[in-house]
Amino acid sequence: MVTGNIFHCRKDSWPPAEYVSRATLQLFDFDSAAPPEQAWRRKLNSNATILKEFSVTFTEAIKMMRLGIRMWSYIREEASQGRTAPINPFKRESCKPSASQGVPLGGMGSGSISRGFRGEFRHWQIIPGTCEASPIMANQFSIFISRDCGNKSYASVLAPGQHEGLGKGDQGISSWGWNLSGQHSTYHALFPRAWTIYDGEPDPELKISCRQISPFIPRNYRDSSLPTAVFVYTLVNTGKERAKVSLLFTWANSIGGISHLSGDHVNEPFMGEDGVSGVLLHHKTAKDNPPVTFAIAACETQNVNVTVLPCFGLSEGSGITAKDMWDKMVQDGHFNQENFNTGPSIPSPPGETHCAAVSASTWVEAHGKCTVAFALAWSSPKIKFLKGKSYHRRYTKFYGTSERAASKLVHDALTNYKLWEEEIEKWQEPILRDERLPEWYKFTLFNELYFLVAGGTVWTDSSLLAANRGTNKHQLRAMEKRNFKGNEPKIDFKQDALAEHFTAGNTADNLYGYDETSCTSSGEDDAVIPQRRNEYSRSFCTLLEPQNDSDDVGGFLYLEGVEYMMWCTYDVHFYASYALLMLFPKIELSIQRDFAKAVLCEDGRKVKFLAEGNCGIRKARGAIPHDLGTHDPWHEMNAYNIHDTSKWKDLNPKFVLQVYRDFAATRDLSFGADVWPSVCAAMEYMDQFDGDNDGLIENDGFPDQTYDTWTAHGVSAYCGGLWLAALQAAAAMAIQLGDMAFAERCRSKFVKAKLVFEDKLWNGSYFNYDSGSSSNSKSVQADQLAGQWYTASSGLPNLFDDFKIQSALQKIYDFNVMKIRGGRMGAVNGMYPNGKVDETCMQSREIWTGVTYALAATMILAGMEEEAFTTAEGIFIAGWSEEGYGYSFQTPEAWTIDGHFRSLIYMRPLAIWGMQWALSRPKAILEPPPINIMDRIDVPPYSSKSFHSETGVRRAAPRAGCFGKSVFHCAC
């Protein structure tokens, strides 16, 4: 808990007055037109430098040569099937990444479009798993100004003319008025909103504020799914004469890349209710992907007149060219009213582009003000993954499944955006006004949430989701075809509680509820299927679905990163999940339910693992999947195939830790009881990695955890610490659910394992990297206290005494943080005891942004607040500040000490919300169990014959929706 104003960080590092004159700010001090005091800022004429990507050393290249050859072969094989490999290090984008990103548009899970700080629309992710990075330069806002005296007039695109995306060959666009220098215009970002202030550009006597608003509203599971954004222009005339101002919104019928040239695209005007009018752009996608319809619109009022040009082209052969459209606006400031009656356009021929324009014209009196609002929406109601399954997006639950819902979306956006802003401000204001917190942290905390929109997010409606995810006979058929094996718990639904236990013998299979005589197999490649699997599948899948409609938020997927295209990568979600838990807890529980289902299933299809070239099965029973898949999520998990992740040592403990944290935070007994069988199975699965029966798991001498190029031998600080934390969390959860036998078993293991862990790894000041004898075994790992992080976050007793925790954190701070450019880069993953960077492998020498945030959270929980914010500020300085490397709104997984990135737009940096969780933890956590799990639990000795207490869980877990005093709101 932070107490007092203790931070040394600069309090006034980003005052708006350094970017916009105070007089201009005062003019906009109404109706949210002025940017907030805390925001990320850039001048529009700032240089968007090309980002530098990392490269492997010669030694690393030699070590990974065989992996590279196998990966190249695998990528080509996938391409021959029309699929993209989830990881392709050989791919080179035609549009080189640059320091130009800004706040993305829209809510979550319906496709996203990013917008650069200079105004360009880029990074198109309308189709799941695809990202078109190049900007579509026809998509612009422009302004046309004239005054009564007629002496002065201005016509300009509201984006700087010096832009790498502006080519000389686009007929018409290059003839537009690219007159804005950007010297007096600034961009201010506080996700999910952004402000662009034009301080006398292009007209010195007209001040302009453009406010971009997207419906990202915590705990609002309806509006936060909407694919729409609003652009509110506030015009202030400081001159002595009234001014006629026309704002223009142009849009190409494109979903990024060269899709606008594919043909058969149609534009059509529309006039809606409440003065909302515009153009629908119907886009026919390639490769049988579902169609998309865009809507651009403005709101007509008593003072604002809206007109449209439904279709113009970019080539000389077009009926109306971009140049014709521009000349019409320069001359008249509006289009013909009859254009609303033209109906749908002729479909575009291949090779030509259809664009549309919406104009909103108004008079602004001398010293007067006026507001003009535009909206953009895109409706692609159906998602189709490459292996054939389709789902409806979440927003279709409220708007139906027609692409024409785009017109309704823009209408509702233009009529509701003020309510959205009220909710956004109510959410953000307490943090922004907290004087204890450094300014950079406040806006970086919110801006890192960009990933929940721009991270390839998919959010599905539950109705079609249930059909495709295979409840009842559909799932059974998929399981039979695909060699799935399921467990067979005995479930008693006679009481309003879960009574769930396994019949078992002494083998691993029997521990999961199998009777050897009840399985059949007809061959090596055939599934081993329990005879009563139909009964299991119906009951257990029903059990793990939300039990009331208010908790049903559909299915949620987000990518590990736009370069690592795997859905909900679990070892990374471990770091990122704090954001979802704090802001959308029902989504977080939904993801945990998805993984809980997966624990008890097996996919016996053969997979070749690229690191060693060996083969294995896709998904082992009892193992947490690495991810939910790529081309067939929920059905074909573990798209990651570099290593066999069923042998990873961190995934199962991370599942147990996340489940307990979420259970403790939401106080949802129903959730806890539902996932409890999976928690037990995940814990039991790990027994195979305790080779010497000392209670502590060992690593197997290959990169068997999230650091998948960094090998650990024997006991490791990272995986061993996670295991200790998981034992404690499982025991605590067992006590809460009344399973005292399992709690005792975890407790006794914990006591043994902790002694071994400290004996083998504690060296007097920190925990060694591992217990092996390699050159880096004594390295200082930045992430060595990951288990302690979750333990403290969940309100459980510390894993180690305070001296060890603070000593290890101080060592990390002194070595991994401060020895790297004075703490201005973040925490390097590995450091030798002599103060040199551990260059054992690529990842040991990298700085991981999300791990640095997690380390800072651990420091906060240990009472080291000043060190925590200095550590995290290194990520801000290197990644987000003007003196940094330009990674704003595209925070990578890692950078090297010379600032070269690996994997832009990555999930793990959401771990900054782990810091916020640490700051507010006492208000959000369930009290730990009323007994100390270090003391013996007075129950009969554990017996494998009674894996779970049949009466304990039933007695402790009535079907109540939640505990009485939860920080999260519920519908109980």
Side-chain angles (χ1 to χ4, degrees):
M1 185 70 178
V2 174
T3 55
N5 187 358
I6 64 170
F7 303 122
H8 72 284
C9 309
R10 295 164 294 169
K11 298 294 291 184
D12 300 312
S13 55
W14 291 61
E18 289 185 7
Y19 295 81
V20 187
S21 69
R22 292 189 181 277
T24 298
L25 290 173
Q26 290 173 356
L27 290 174
F28 290 125
D29 192 19
F30 71 100
D31 195 28
S32 301
E37 292 184 6
Q38 294 93 359
W40 180 88
R41 311 182 199 280
R42 283 292 185 275
K43 290 281 189 181
L44 262 61
N45 65 346
S46 297
N47 185 29
T49 56
I50 300 298
L51 306 179
K52 295 180 180 179
E53 192 168 5
F54 86 107
S55 59
V56 297
T57 66
F58 178 77
T59 301
E60 292 165 353
I62 295 298
K63 289 180 179 179
M64 293 191 289
M65 182 177 296
R66 292 181 180 179
L67 168 62
I69 293 171
R70 295 187 192 105
M71 183 170 285
W72 172 255
S73 175
Y74 168 70
I75 290 168
R76 294 190 58 169
E77 180 183 345
E78 287 292 286
S80 70
Q81 302 295 321
R83 298 190 295 265
T84 302
I87 302 175
N88 184 356
F90 308 106
K91 184 179 180 181
R92 291 294 176 264
E93 298 289 348
S94 58
C95 177
K96 292 186 178 296
S98 63
S100 58
Q101 292 288 80
V103 174
L105 307 175
M108 299 187 295
S110 295
S112 70
I113 305 166
S114 292
R115 193 171 185 225
F117 71 84
R118 295 179 297 181
E120 70 277 15
F121 295 85
R122 59 193 310 149
H123 271 268
W124 301 73
Q125 297 185 80
I126 305 298
I127 297 173
T130 63
C131 180
E132 296 288 354
S134 301
I136 302 296
M137 293 306 293
N139 298 349
Q140 298 290 344
F141 285 99
S142 303
I143 194 166
F144 304 83
I145 308 163
S146 61
R147 296 183 183 271
D148 275 348
C149 65
N151 293 331
K152 294 181 181 180
S153 62
Y154 303 88
S156 180
V157 179
L158 289 173
Q162 294 73 35
H163 197 290
E164 72 275 8
L166 183 63
K168 298 300 181 184
D170 359 338
Q171 171 63 29
I173 292 181
S174 56
S175 69
W176 292 358
W178 298 90
N179 305 316
L180 199 78
S181 72
Q183 182 179 357
H184 302 291
S185 302
T186 55
Y187 180 84
H188 311 250
L190 187 68
F191 180 88
R193 295 189 293 173
W195 294 255
T196 305
I197 306 299
Y198 303 89
D199 194 0
E201 287 189 280
D203 183 346
E205 295 182 339
L206 186 71
K207 311 295 184 181
I208 308 166
S209 166
C210 172
R211 190 163 83 258
Q212 172 187 311
I213 308 151
S214 291
F216 182 97
I217 306 165
R219 299 184 183 86
N220 183 330
Y221 297 90
R222 180 189 187 279
D223 293 350
S224 295
S225 72
L226 303 184
T228 187
V230 178
F231 306 88
V232 182
Y233 280 85
T234 302
L235 311 172
V236 179
N237 184 2
T238 62
K240 297 180 180 179
E241 300 170 337
R242 71 171 184 165
K244 181 182 179 182
V245 180
S246 297
L247 287 160
L248 178 71
F249 188 15
T250 53
W251 197 259
N253 198 326
S254 171
I255 58 171
I258 58 172
S259 61
H260 51 286
L261 302 176
S262 59
D264 283 338
H265 310 314
V266 175
N267 296 355
E268 96 178 271
F270 73 91
M271 295 186 71
E273 299 175 351
D274 302 314
V276 175
S277 304
V279 181
L280 295 174
L281 298 91
H282 306 290
H283 186 88
K284 183 178 180 180
T285 59
K287 299 180 180 179
D288 293 325
N289 283 305
V292 182
T293 293
F294 293 95
I296 56 172
C299 189
E300 184 158 319
T301 67
Q302 184 177 357
N303 301 317
V304 177
N305 179 49
V306 176
T307 56
V308 301
L309 181 61
C311 191
F312 67 90
L314 301 181
S315 60
E316 290 185 0
S318 305
I320 300 176
T321 67
K323 186 177 186 303
D324 296 334
M325 181 277 302
W326 187 266
D327 291 343
K328 172 71 172 175
M329 286 299 298
V330 170
Q331 179 179 338
D332 299 335
H334 59 83
F335 300 115
N336 296 332
Q337 196 70 29
E338 294 77 16
N339 288 347
F340 282 111
N341 303 320
T342 57
S345 67
I346 298 174
S348 63
E352 292 192 15
T353 305
H354 274 183
C355 303
V358 175
S359 168
S361 305
T362 187
W363 285 94
V364 186
E365 298 297 326
H367 305 292
K369 301 175 182 180
C370 185
T371 297
V372 178
F374 292 89
L376 166 70
W378 52 99
S379 179
S380 181
K382 185 177 288 189
I383 307 161
K384 182 181 178 183
F385 291 99
L386 280 179
K387 290 198 173 179
K389 290 187 177 58
S390 296
Y391 305 84
H392 283 144
R393 297 189 191 265
R394 168 74 173 176
Y395 79 90
T396 64
K397 184 179 182 71
F398 317 107
Y399 284 84
T401 57
S402 168
E403 293 88 6
R404 300 185 69 87
S407 60
K408 178 65 173 172
L409 283 162
V410 289
H411 170 273
D412 289 358
L414 287 168
T415 53
N416 292 332
Y417 74 85
K418 291 185 178 181
L419 297 176
W420 294 346
E421 287 194 287
E422 288 178 9
E423 292 300 310
I424 291 168
E425 290 170 2
K426 187 186 303 182
W427 157 47
Q428 294 182 337
E429 186 177 18
I431 294 173
L432 296 177
R433 290 193 174 185
D434 191 339
E435 296 183 355
R436 304 167 302 163
L437 302 175
E439 185 182 13
W440 67 264
Y441 169 78
K442 296 176 184 179
F443 59 78
T444 307
L445 176 72
F446 292 114
N447 285 337
E448 288 284 17
L449 291 171
Y450 84 93
F451 187 83
L452 290 177
V453 172
T457 316
V458 168
W459 194 356
T460 61
D461 180 27
S462 58
S463 56
L464 190 59
L465 175 73
N468 264 334
R469 282 175 67 181
T471 55
N472 301 323
K473 62 181 181 180
H474 298 291
Q475 175 156 347
L476 298 178
R477 188 176 300 123
M479 290 170 68
E480 289 165 0
K481 288 181 179 178
R482 300 182 178 183
N483 293 358
F484 277 110
K485 301 175 187 177
N487 298 302
E488 186 187 353
K490 295 182 179 178
I491 301 175
D492 179 6
F493 289 108
K494 294 180 181 179
Q495 300 190 24
D496 293 334
L498 168 68
E500 209 277 327
H501 63 93
F502 295 97
T503 57
N506 292 321
T507 66
D509 273 355
N510 282 339
L511 278 175
Y512 292 106
Y514 278 73
D515 181 340
E516 291 180 3
T517 63
S518 70
C519 297
T520 59
S521 176
S522 59
E524 180 181 350
D525 294 328
D526 291 337
V528 181
I529 304 170
Q531 294 293 315
R532 290 175 290 172
R533 188 181 56 193
N534 289 15
E535 176 186 350
Y536 153 69
S537 297
R538 283 191 293 270
S539 59
F540 191 74
C541 289
T542 301
L543 174 71
L544 281 172
E545 295 299 332
Q547 297 302 307
N548 62 70
D549 290 340
S550 66
D551 290 333
D552 180 9
V553 294
F556 191 87
L557 301 168
Y558 66 144
L559 290 173
E560 179 179 336
V562 296
E563 298 176 37
Y564 297 164
M565 294 188 295
M566 296 161 284
W567 300 110
C568 295
T569 300
Y570 201 72
D571 56 305
V572 184
H573 181 68
F574 174 78
Y575 297 83
S577 57
Y578 284 88
L580 287 174
L581 179 60
M582 295 189 76
L583 305 177
F584 298 95
K586 291 180 182 179
I587 291 178
E588 167 62 10
L589 296 189
S590 172
I591 292 174
Q592 299 301 351
R593 289 178 187 272
D594 286 339
F595 280 91
K597 292 177 189 177
V599 173
L600 301 174
C601 291
E602 179 171 295
D603 184 345
R605 285 171 292 179
K606 300 297 183 183
V607 174
K608 183 176 181 179
F609 301 112
L610 303 180
E612 300 296 333
N614 60 313
C615 292
I617 64 172
R618 178 172 291 277
K619 163 71 177 69
R621 186 173 60 248
I624 304 300
H626 171 274
D627 55 79
L628 293 179
T630 293
H631 300 309
D632 193 7
W634 295 297
H635 291 269
E636 187 178 272
M637 301 183 189
N638 281 338
Y640 177 91
N641 62 347
I642 295 177
H643 299 289
D644 182 356
T645 59
S646 68
K647 297 178 181 178
W648 275 21
K649 311 307 183 295
D650 63 335
L651 288 169
N652 282 37
K654 285 175 175 176
F655 171 72
V656 175
L657 289 170
Q658 288 183 72
V659 163
Y660 180 76
R661 179 205 58 190
D662 297 351
F663 171 65
T666 62
R667 309 188 181 195
D668 187 334
L669 268 172
S670 176
F671 165 76
D674 288 352
V675 302
W676 180 240
S678 299
V679 170
C680 295
M683 294 297 290
E684 289 290 339
Y685 183 84
M686 297 300 291
D687 284 348
Q688 64 184 296
F689 303 124
D690 180 10
D692 52 8
N693 199 32
D694 61 0
L696 192 60
I697 61 172
E698 294 91 31
N699 294 85
D700 285 332
F702 76 98
D704 50 358
Q705 22 75 31
T706 193
Y707 299 90
D708 59 353
T709 69
W710 197 1
T711 298
H713 301 270
V715 176
S716 70
Y718 184 70
C719 294
L722 289 171
W723 175 241
L724 288 179
L727 285 168
Q728 183 169 241
M733 190 169 180
I735 293 169
Q736 297 287 356
L737 295 175
D739 195 342
M740 307 305 285
F742 195 79
E744 168 59 18
R745 183 166 186 259
C746 291
R747 185 210 66 83
S748 61
K749 274 193 174 186
F750 175 87
V751 172
K752 289 172 56 179
K754 180 183 175 183
L755 293 174
V756 175
F757 183 89
E758 293 185 327
D759 180 63
K760 290 190 174 183
L761 298 180
W762 181 250
N763 63 21
S765 61
Y766 64 95
F767 295 99
N768 290 335
Y769 175 70
D770 65 29
S771 63
S773 57
S774 61
S775 61
N776 70 325
S777 289
K778 290 182 169 56
S779 287
V780 185
Q781 185 182 12
D783 213 4
Q784 63 184 266
L785 290 178
Q788 169 58 28
W789 172 36
Y790 257 71
T791 293
S793 293
S794 302
L796 292 170
N798 287 337
L799 294 179
F800 316 107
D801 61 58
D802 290 347
F803 169 77
K804 287 187 175 71
I805 294 170
Q806 294 189 354
S807 174
L809 289 173
Q810 190 64 48
K811 186 73 171 184
I812 296 167
Y813 179 76
D814 292 340
F815 275 59
N816 302 59
V817 177
M818 297 309 294
K819 287 185 181 295
I820 305 299
R821 301 198 179 181
R824 300 173 68 82
M825 294 284 290
V828 70
N829 282 337
M831 286 284 284
Y832 287 125
N834 63 6
K836 294 183 178 180
V837 173
D838 181 347
E839 297 187 348
T840 303
C841 66
M842 174 183 76
Q843 292 174 344
S844 63
R845 63 183 173 89
E846 288 180 329
I847 295 161
W848 284 15
T849 53
V851 168
T852 300
Y853 286 142
L855 170 62
T858 311
M859 290 174 170
I860 292 172
L861 292 163
M864 300 171 63
E865 294 93 348
E866 186 168 350
E867 291 87 346
F869 280 88
T870 300
T871 297
E873 189 179 17
I875 300 300
F876 165 75
I877 293 171
W880 289 81
S881 73
E882 286 193 272
E883 61 191 272
Y885 297 104
Y887 297 130
S888 311
F889 300 101
Q890 51 189 332
T891 316
E893 156 76 317
W895 51 65
T896 58
I897 58 175
D898 55 2
H900 295 188
F901 74 88
R902 179 170 63 83
S903 187
L904 294 172
I905 311 181
Y906 196 79
M907 181 197 295
R908 205 183 317 252
L910 284 170
I912 193 172
W913 280 85
M915 296 178 65
Q916 189 60 26
W917 179 269
L919 295 170
S920 58
R921 179 185 58 89
K923 297 183 294 184
I925 278 291
L926 175 70
E927 290 298 320
I931 58 176
N932 188 338
I933 66 168
M934 293 299 291
D935 297 329
R936 184 168 181 83
I937 301 168
D938 189 16
V939 295
Y942 172 81
S943 168
S944 62
K945 297 289 185 181
S946 57
F947 188 86
H948 302 131
S949 168
E950 181 178 357
T951 58
V953 176
R954 182 190 301 121
R955 186 170 58 246
R959 280 277 180 209
C962 64
F963 286 91
K965 297 179 179 179
S966 173
V967 70
F968 300 115
H969 303 294
C970 75
C972 296

